[in-house]
Amino acid sequence: MAKARATYVCQQCGGVHPKWSGQCDHCGAWNSLTEEVQEKTPGPRNKGREIPMEGLKGSSKPLPRISTGIPEFDRVLGGGLVPGSATLIGGDPGIGKSTLLLQAACRMAGTGAGVAYFSGEESTDQIRMRAERLGLLNNTESVGLAAATDAANIAASLSADPGLRMVIIDSIQTMYLPGVESGPGTVSQVRASTHELIRSTKKLGCALLIVGHVTKEGAIAGPKVLEHMVDTVLQFEGDRSHHFRILRGIKNRFGPTDEIGVFEMTGNGLSEVANPSELFLADWREDVSGAVVFAGIEGTRPLLVEIQALVAPSSMAHPRRNVVGWDSGRLSMLAAVLEARAGLPLSGRDIFLNVAGGVKITEPAADLAVAAALISSVTGRPCPANTVIFGEVGLAAEVRRVAHPEQRLKEAAKLGFEQAILPPAKKAGKNRDSLRHNTVTTLTDLIETLGG
Ligand code: TYD
Ligand code: MG
C-alpha cells in the first residue's frame, strides 16, 4: 500500500524538512518551504545481482553530434547536440530563449530532422506568428508544435514519432506530472517532470532542450536540483538595454564549459555575431581618458573589449566602488595595490568601472587593462592610440604572464591595432605579429609607459 506523507521542501535548494519553519535549515533562505506530498512505496526487497565491470582503456566511439543549424549555438554545446542528451537553457524572462530555440528548430527542420516544440507559455498561434514574422516558414514541415503542460502526455506523444531528433520544452516551470501533488514550478514538480521527459527522450535517442527561467538572484528558478539532472547547462545572458546576447556554457558533460556564443537581437530575431571584437569596440573612442582596450580570451576565442574607468572625488565617508562586468573584489585589490605600491592617489575617491557592451569578464588577465584605465582616468591623459593591454597583476604590483598571448596579439593585429602593453614573454623570441611590444614588469613601469 502506498503511504502519503507530507514534507516541507525548500524551493531554493530542495532541502527536505519534516516540519514547517520560517527558514530553511540547509541554505538559510526565508519563507521558502512549501508543503509537498511524497508517495512512499515500500517495494519488495530484491537480492540484487552482480554488475559486470569494464576497463577504463576500452574503445568507445566518438560522440555523434546533431547540428542545431546555428554555428554559435553548436560552438557552445561543444560541436552540436548529442543524441539522447538533456540541455537546460537558463536566462531572464524576455532575453530571447524562445526565439533562439524557435530559430534552431526551423534550421534543423530545414535539414529534414524532426523537431517537437512544446510550449506551456505561448499558444501555437503566437509561436506560428513569430515564426512567420521572422521569415522562418520555408522547409519547416517537420516541426511539430503543441501547447502542452502535462509531462506524461508529452512523453506519450514522443514515442509515436520515429524521425524525431530534438524536443523543446518551453519552459520547465510550466510543466507538471499528474500524480505529484504540488503545483507547477515547485521543486518536486520540476524534478518529476524533468525526470519523465529525460527518460523518454533518452529512450528515443533525441536531444532534449529545456528552457528554465532565472530568479532575481540569478539562479535558474527554484530548481538548482535541475542542474544536476541534465547533461548541459547553458546561460543566455545580456543586458536588456543592449542588443548583444551571450550564450555561455556553465556545465557540459560533452565538451568544454568556457565557450561563449555571441548573438545580436535584431528586428528579425537573433543573428549570429561572427566577429564579436568588432561589435564590442564599435563605440570606442581613443581620445578620452580612462578608456582602454583589453585583449581577452573567452573559451578558445580571442575577444577585444573596451574597459572604462572614472575616478572622481568623493563626498562620502566610504567612497563608492561601482563595477559593471568585472569582479568588485578584484577591483578593490587592484586599487589597494595601485595606491600602496605605485603611489596612485585613489583613497577618498569614487571609482566607477564599466566593461562596455554588457560583457562580463572573469579572466585575471584584465588586471593590467583595468589598472591602465584607472591610471589614465587619474592623470586625465588618454592611453596611447591603437593599443591593446593584457596581463595579471600580483599583490607586489608585479605584472604576470597570462595564457595565450599569441592569440590575443593576432586578434589585435587583425583589427588594426599597432601596439600592445603586456607582460614580458617567457623567452625572448621574434615578434610573430606586426604589433610593437611594450613590456612592463611592474605597475610603476605601467605608469611610466602611460606617461604619468
Ligand atoms: P523571447 O524569445 O520571447 O524571450 P524569452 O523566451 O527568453 O522570455 O524574446 C522576447 C524579446 O525579444 C522581446 O522582448 C522582444 C525581443 N525580440 C526582438 O527584439 N526581435 C525579434 O525578432 C523577436 C522575436 C523578439
Ligand atoms: Mg519564452
Side-chain angles (χ1 to χ4, degrees):
M1 250 299 283
K3 218 163 61 189
R5 191 166 59 90
T7 51
Y8 296 85
V9 180
C10 171
Q11 302 301 304
Q12 301 279 337
C13 70
V16 182
H17 304 249
K19 277 205 269 217
W20 190 86
S21 85
Q23 187 181 22
C24 171
D25 293 342
H26 302 265
C27 67
W30 288 94
N31 266 335
S32 63
L33 301 197
T34 55
E35 182 179 346
E36 293 185 3
V37 179
Q38 291 187 337
E39 297 288 325
K40 200 176 165 194
T41 322
R45 276 185 63 171
N46 64 0
K47 260 182 77 200
R49 63 181 169 79
E50 206 177 309
I51 301 169
M53 310 281 273
E54 284 181 36
L56 204 49
K57 267 203 177 148
S59 62
S60 349
K61 280 192 238 94
L63 286 171
R65 300 272 183 179
I66 321 169
S67 169
T68 59
I70 304 179
E72 287 289 295
F73 197 174
D74 288 346
R75 161 203 288 278
V76 181
L77 288 166
L81 289 163
V82 176
S85 70
T87 303
L88 175 68
I89 300 189
D92 290 329
I95 207 76
K97 302 180 292 296
S98 306
T99 309
L100 179 69
L101 293 182
L102 184 62
Q103 286 181 236
C106 295
R107 294 264 183 100
M108 273 186 77
T111 65
V115 179
Y117 190 121
F118 295 97
S119 179
E121 304 195 333
E122 291 166 297
S123 67
T124 46
D125 281 334
Q126 275 173 304
I127 300 170
R128 204 177 291 124
M129 263 154 52
R130 178 184 293 182
E132 198 178 304
R133 202 167 57 70
L134 300 183
L136 295 172
L137 289 186
N138 285 336
N139 264 333
T140 49
E141 291 77 23
S142 55
V143 178
L145 278 186
T149 51
D150 183 331
N153 288 351
I154 293 178
S157 359
L158 292 184
S159 37
D161 189 348
L164 202 59
R165 291 285 167 277
M166 177 162 82
V167 176
I168 297 170
I169 303 293
D170 189 2
S171 66
I172 194 64
Q173 277 92 9
T174 58
M175 298 293 149
Y176 75 97
L177 199 62
V180 178
E181 283 188 34
S182 43
T186 57
V187 172
S188 324
Q189 274 298 2
V190 162
R191 194 163 25 194
S193 318
T194 309
H195 200 268
E196 179 68 20
L197 292 165
I198 290 179
R199 204 178 50 79
S200 59
T201 48
K202 256 213 170 87
K203 211 163 61 190
L204 297 173
C206 52
L208 175 66
L209 284 162
I210 301 173
V211 171
H213 289 298
V214 162
T215 57
K216 281 203 284 307
E217 289 77 35
I220 294 176
K224 194 73 188 156
V225 278
L226 210 58
E227 294 188 12
H228 303 294
M229 299 174 69
V230 296
D231 301 302
T232 307
V233 180
L234 309 180
Q235 179 92 19
F236 204 32
E237 53 190 41
D239 201 330
R240 208 91 68 81
S241 46
H242 286 96
H243 302 298
F244 322 123
R245 300 284 182 269
I246 292 176
L247 190 65
R248 193 184 287 280
I250 294 181
K251 162 183 169 178
N252 195 347
R253 287 188 183 145
F254 308 118
T257 52
D258 49 5
E259 240 9 299
I260 64 166
V262 184
F263 297 88
E264 191 176 2
M265 182 59 97
T266 67
N268 293 321
L270 289 159
S271 69
E272 296 170 71
V273 178
N275 194 344
S277 300
E278 268 171 24
L279 188 72
F280 291 129
L281 293 180
D283 299 321
W284 174 56
R285 288 184 44 205
E286 55 189 13
D287 54 345
V288 292
S289 65
V292 303
V293 176
F294 164 55
I297 298 267
E298 280 287 347
T300 54
R301 177 160 60 177
L303 183 68
L304 302 194
V305 286
E306 178 186 353
I307 295 181
Q308 303 171 321
L310 177 68
V311 180
S314 180
S315 55
M316 314 234 257
H318 296 283
R320 270 186 292 196
R321 301 277 187 263
N322 262 12
V323 190
V324 179
W326 206 49
D327 180 33
S328 58
R330 196 93 195 162
L331 175 67
S332 303
M333 181 212 88
L334 200 60
V337 173
L338 272 169
E339 173 124 38
R341 306 267 186 192
L344 193 74
L346 289 172
S347 57
R349 300 183 182 208
D350 290 333
I351 299 178
F352 302 91
L353 190 80
N354 179 31
V355 179
V359 199
K360 277 201 198 80
I361 299 179
T362 48
E363 270 192 295
D367 291 353
L368 198 65
V370 173
L374 292 171
I375 294 166
S376 160
S377 176
V378 168
T379 59
R381 198 169 294 154
C383 275
N386 281 326
T387 302
V388 295
I389 306 182
F390 62 87
E392 187 178 339
V393 174
L395 285 180
E398 81 281 17
V399 177
R400 297 167 167 238
R401 281 193 293 270
V402 294
H404 311 299
E406 307 85 16
Q407 253 177 294
R408 299 171 199 264
L409 292 166
K410 215 168 118 197
E411 174 82 355
K414 203 169 85 189
L415 288 172
F417 285 86
E418 288 158 7
Q419 188 185 203
I421 299 180
L422 72 176
K426 204 187 286 175
K427 37 181 192 280
K430 225 171 63 195
N431 273 5
R432 262 179 284 150
D433 47 78
S434 55
L435 297 168
R436 209 164 45 251
H437 291 200
N438 211 333
T439 54
V440 290
T441 49
T442 62
L443 287 182
T444 319
D445 274 1
L446 177 66
I447 294 179
E448 249 168 58
T449 305
L450 299 178

